[in-house]
Each structure stands twice: as structure tokens, then as C-alpha cells.
Amino acid sequence: MKLINSFAEYQKHYDFSIENPEAFWADVAENFLWRKKWNRVLEWDFHKPEAQWFIGGKLNITENCIDRHLPERANQTAIIWEPNDPSEEPRNITYQELFHEVCRVANMLKAQGITKGDRVCIYMPMIPEVAYAMLACARIGAIHSVVFAGFSAGSLIDRINDAGCKLVLATDGAYRGDKIIDLKSIIDEALEKCPTVERVLVAKRTKSKVNMKPGRDLWWEEEIRNVSDVCAAEEMDAEDLLFILYTSGSTGKPKGMVHTCGGYMVYTNYTFKTAFQYQDGQVYWCTADVGWITGHSYIVYGPLSAGATTLMFEGIPSWPDMGRFWHVAEKHRVNIFYTAPTAIRSLEKAPLSFVRQYDLHSIKVLGTVGEPINEEAWHWYHDNIGRGKCPVVDTWWQTETGGFMISPIANITKLKPAYATLPLPGVQPAIMDENGNELLANGVEGRLAIRFPWPAMARTIYGDHQRFKDTYFSTFPGKYFTGDGCKRDEEGFYRITGRVDDIIIVSGHNMGTAEIESAIDEHSAVCESAVVAYPHDIKGQGVYAYVICYDKPHEEEKLRKEIRELVAKIIGPIAKPDKIQFVSGLPKTRSGKIMRRILRKVAEGDTSNLGDVTTLLDPSVVDEIKGGAL
Ligand code: WT7
């Protein structure tokens, strides 16, 4: 596969990918190890909806991420692991070592009776074992469902039960800055309500005292001792499931996005190499957690399938101090650095001396993902981390898209601060107006949809194809609706303006307002609640909750604290409301629908023009809400 090396070439590739998508993607797919080639490249119908890629093709993604590199790269570092505590030794895992580690975990899973098609939950911190765990599942055809280790027992229960996981891969605890998180007790609590789980394999990380349930829990280190370090890869169909990854929905229940083997492999590899222009031998660092799609696609599968050296960081940007990222970048001579706007904004607030004490000359390409990046943060990143010389690759994509969709190509696409710029080859964006008409001109703003399938798109929501259709393919029939607002400027460059649905993005984490509301409603004093986002300096968006109680609360502060703790317990600390306003009613229409537009305006501190409130059942609540705004 030829990498694009000029803008004219990008245009040529792009045009070809639109005129002849099948030939374009077949050409890309030639660069992988297939046990058997596909019969047809693509079959699709967005009305059903359905999309299948590389039909009839047989492969195993781990043979592409590991085995095929061994002749040339056995001794090259595959994973650099930087621990939470800077005084602990980092680890370098070569491709040869990765092969054996993955095979051992695969054999350990087999010894527990896990076979092709079984679902395995992974609830682990950022240690190399989490990558081994994912790849080991893929090696034997088990379907992994990684749950971010910051989620609480309640979230774990929903996800394990929805997927019907048979086994959980876990650790005793996790380090997070100067804190220790007791992961195993969260698992113990969750598993009380997870009847499908037969086994838990627990790796030691913090050496905390944990409770091991006889007959269910086993130590990873003991089980792995007895297995071979070679394991044949299972032959997978291109459309067999590779993993399920949950993302928040507008209604309470999280959606298990289903990704399949062939298309996902081809697309994450292609987009990784293209957007970042990854060069052989470079050190690449994505700061995301593997619990999110960014970690799946661009810490594990994309980079490893490209034979890259990928850095995995266990810690947080603010510990031991605000210079940690830059320290790690210097220490491992990172060449490509990929992070989120929320991290940039928080580091931007620290004195520049935290940046300047480190030599960041190794960095050649910067990336950002997760939410719209504001111009100020873009410039700070470009000027201070990129020394004014490195392109900022602003990658717009989603859990559902599997890989980058709209993104600059490093050193090729002209940059525009806060713009994700142009669609990558194969991606056909459409901007839609309120009436469902496509806006064909430049210089327009509307809702972002995608007109044509791409290989890594999610195939369905696990166990609920109707919801998949309703959520993504019914707003604009025949097109995939992203849920994002978007501008296309006079030059045809795209700027993503943010969600237009009830999803909010807090510190780059996607959350459904309904999910937070139902957690708040669990409090015995609470009758009803409504959650909206408001602009937050560092997090991008903060959580603003309007709460109605059965009785007027006596001690508001105490109740606020209880509600915040309850949300942390049910969903996870990331979902805690930043502001809680107690109200006696919510602005509802006569049909009972909450007018969130009004709640958003008040939360934003803009009460001058609330628009038409005459359709409200009780317009007087608006004054009360305005008066009590936080
Ligand atoms: C939503 C998807 C893709 C991995 C991380 C988040 C927002 C993502 C950008 C960007 C503006 C962005 C969108 C999208 N988003 N990247 N570069 N510019 N907005 O994955 O949790 O599935 O969230 O994140 O609103 O719909 P996710």
C-alpha cells in the first residue's frame, strides 16, 4: 500500500475511493495476511441497515498484529509500558515477547473452557496484560468486551449481563496517581448480579488484599504457569465478531457496539498509517485508556498491525506533577503524540516551566481526539508542545465508526485550528438540514451524516439491531447519522461543533444524560431530575443537574454530596454532577417532554433569551429556575 505523500495524491486517492470504493479497499486489504481472500468486497444497504466487508475472507487479526511481523521485527519493541509511578521501571515488550505473552493468555483462556464466540469481559488498568488479554481473546475467537476500569459496579453489571460474559479478566487493584483503586471489590460487588460469569482470572498489580471466591476466582499468575507459550490462531470469518464496546446512549441503557474482524483490521491500520504518516521505527504514544475505542483502535490494533512501537501509559497527566506527559515523552523519545483536548486544557493551565524543562524535539506529529478542540488549546498545543513545527492531527470519529473519519493527514493537509479538516479516503460525509435535506454547497452548517459504508463501521448494537437502526439510520433514511453538528466552510473544510443529541462529553468521556438522570433518581429523596451540559473550562462540558425532591431539602449541601456519591457509585466518578440545582418543577411541554433547550440556556448562564416558553405546561417554573441558577 502506498502512503499518500502529497495533497494532489490525497485528492487522487480520495476521488478514486468514491468512484470505485470496492477497488480502493480491495487494494488496501491486499496488504494483510489472509488465510483466504474475500469473494466480494462489499455488500450494503443502509435501509436495513446492513454492511458487510471482505465477504468470505478468512483471517486472524493477531496474525496480522504479531505473527507476520516476526521475521523482520522479532526484536523490535512492540509495546513500551510506562508505569504510574515514575520510579518504577518501564517495560519494553518486543514483538517476539508479545507473541508468547498473547499465546499464554490465549491458552489460559482455553484451559478455562473459553472457545470461539464466547464473550469475555476485561476490567483492567493500563498494564501490558490488558493488551495481551484483548489479543488473546482475538487469537482464539473469543469476543472481548473491555470495560473502562473507572466504571463502577453498576456499569459493570449492565455491560457484563448485556453481553452474557462467561469470564472476567481482572486485576487486584489499580494505581491512579497517588491513589489505589480497589478493582477486585468492585468486581465482587458486580458479580453478585451477573449470573453468566463462571470464572474470574485476577492478575496481581497492586498486591492489595483481595477476596478470592472459591470455585470462581483464580490467580492469573498461577494459571498461566501451566500453559504453553504457543497457540495456533483461530480462523475467523471477516464478518465474525472481534469485540463489543459499550458507548452511552440517549436513553439509559449503554449500547454494545459490535465490531468485526476484517473491516476493522483493514481500516484501523490504514487510517493509523495515513493520518499520522507513521514511519517505520517511530515511537507512537496515544494517552487514551484501552477502555475506550481510541485505546482499542489506536493503542492496540492499528499500531500493532502496522508493526509500530506503541507506548502504553498507566498514569495520569497530573501526577507526580503537571509535567508528567512531557517527562514521559522525553524519556521514551516519543515521535507521535496523541491526546485529548481536555488533557491539553488542563496542562495549559500549569506554568510553562513544566513543559520547558523537557526536551520535546523528538515529537514530530501531534494528534487530538474526543471532542471539539477550542482554538486557544489548539494554539497552545501547536506552539508549546509542537514548537510551532508539528501538525496537529484533529481526528474526528466515534466508537461507532471504529476509526478516523475526518482528519488531516500529517504534513499534507493544510491545517485550520479547530477543524478536523477533510474526510479520509473512503469517507463520504453529508451535511443535513433540519428537514432532512442534504446541503450540497460549501459554507453550510447542519447535522453530520455519512452517505456510504466504510470498513470499520459498527455492524449492529449487540442483541438489538432495531435500536441500531433507530439510533443511526432513521433520522436521515439511507444515511448513517452521527449525532454531531458540523460546519463546512467555503473551502470544504469540516469543523465539528458538538453533539446535537442528549449525549454529553465530559473530559472526552461520552455519557448519556438519561443514564446520569436515572442514577440521580435512585436517591430516595429525589423525585425527578434533568441533566444538561454547560461549558466547562477544563472538562469541555460539565454536568448540570436539575433535581426535584419529594420534600424541599433541609440541608442542600449534604444532599448534593450524597447525590454526587451515588452517581459515582452507580456509573463512575466521571459522571458526577458538577452543579446540582434543586427545583420544584421542570419546564415541560403539554405532552410532558422536558424542554432541555431552556435548561441548557440557564446552565450556560444565558437567560436573556430563552425563546418561546408559551407551549409550557407551567411557564412559571422558568422564573424559579432562572432565579436559582448556579
Ligand atoms: C463523539 C464520539 C473517537 C474516540 C473518542 C470519542 C466527539 C470525537 C472529535 C473531534 C470534535 C469529536 C463527537 C463524537 N468527537 N472526536 N476531533 N472533534 N468532536 O469516542 O466516546 O464514541 O465519542 O466524540 O461528538 O460524536 P466516543
Side-chain angles (χ1 to χ4, degrees), residues 305-555:
S305 69
T309 298
T310 175
L311 191 151
M312 247 178 111
F313 175 48
E314 186 188 25
I316 54 174
S318 53
W319 189 80
D321 61 41
M322 298 298 273
R324 186 68 195 280
F325 270 6
W326 323 128
H327 184 192
V328 175
E330 177 192 84
K331 182 166 163 188
H332 298 291
R333 297 188 187 81
V334 168
N335 305 115
I336 302 173
F337 178 74
Y338 184 35
T339 196
T342 182
I344 299 167
R345 285 191 301 265
S346 72
L347 296 170
E348 187 189 333
K349 299 265 183 298
L352 262 183
S353 55
F354 282 116
V355 178
R356 298 220 171 109
Q357 62 185 288
Y358 299 106
D359 179 358
L360 298 181
H361 279 84
S362 61
I363 295 180
K364 303 288 178 237
V365 173
L366 296 172
T368 156
V369 62
E371 57 184 303
I373 182 166
N374 47 310
E375 288 187 39
E376 190 196 339
W378 193 99
H379 284 292
W380 184 87
Y381 194 36
H382 182 258
D383 296 350
N384 295 296
I385 308 306
R387 313 172 310 283
K389 292 185 176 140
C390 305
V392 175
V393 179
D394 180 355
T395 60
W396 173 81
W397 58 297
Q398 311 176 295
T399 306
E400 295 85 342
T401 70
F404 305 156
M405 300 292 282
I406 302 182
S407 169
I409 299 176
N411 296 311
I412 286 170
T413 311
K414 185 175 79 174
L415 300 175
K416 277 192 187 177
Y419 277 75
T421 74
L422 295 170
L424 289 172
V427 175
Q428 303 191 27
I431 298 189
M432 314 296 291
D433 72 11
E434 310 249 302
N435 305 318
N437 299 314
E438 185 172 348
L439 300 168
L440 294 163
N442 283 345
V444 292
E445 179 163 4
R447 291 164 184 227
L448 180 61
I450 311 287
R451 214 189 288 125
F452 195 85
W454 61 101
M457 64 180 283
R459 302 297 193 256
T460 189
I461 291 175
Y462 192 73
D464 199 348
H465 198 64
Q466 187 61 40
R467 188 177 180 198
F468 184 63
K469 180 173 181 171
D470 294 345
T471 310
Y472 303 106
F473 295 90
S474 53
T475 313
F476 306 119
K479 294 192 177 66
Y480 167 81
F481 176 45
T482 64
D484 281 321
C486 177
K487 276 182 196 166
R488 185 168 52 219
D489 73 4
E490 293 299 339
E491 250 188 315
F493 279 49
Y494 291 81
R495 177 176 184 155
I496 311 301
T497 50
R499 304 287 313 186
V500 294
D501 55 12
D502 291 331
I503 304 279
I504 60 183
I505 303 184
V506 180
S507 297
H509 303 315
N510 185 321
M511 280 179 270
T513 52
E515 204 179 348
I516 306 177
E517 286 160 7
S518 69
I520 296 174
D521 296 351
E522 293 278 306
H523 194 289
S524 58
V526 174
C527 155
E528 194 183 355
S529 63
V531 164
V532 296
Y534 71 96
H536 187 287
D537 258 13
I538 288 175
K539 299 181 182 183
Q541 293 191 312
V543 178
Y544 195 119
Y546 297 90
V547 175
I548 308 176
C549 295
Y550 290 107
D551 303 304
K552 193 171 162 31
H554 294 298
E555 296 174 273

Side-chain angles (χ1 to χ4, degrees), residues 41-60:
V41 176
L42 171 66
E43 191 110 319
W44 72 290
D45 176 352
F46 272 0
H47 290 280
K48 276 186 180 167
E50 170 200 80
Q52 292 181 62
W53 285 89
F54 310 112
I55 298 154
K58 304 284 180 195
L59 75 153
N60 186 289

Side-chain angles (χ1 to χ4, degrees), residues 569-583:
K569 190 166 172 332
I570 295 175
I571 305 174
I574 49 173
K576 277 200 254 184
D578 298 275
K579 294 184 180 177
I580 298 175
Q581 181 182 351
F582 294 107
V583 294

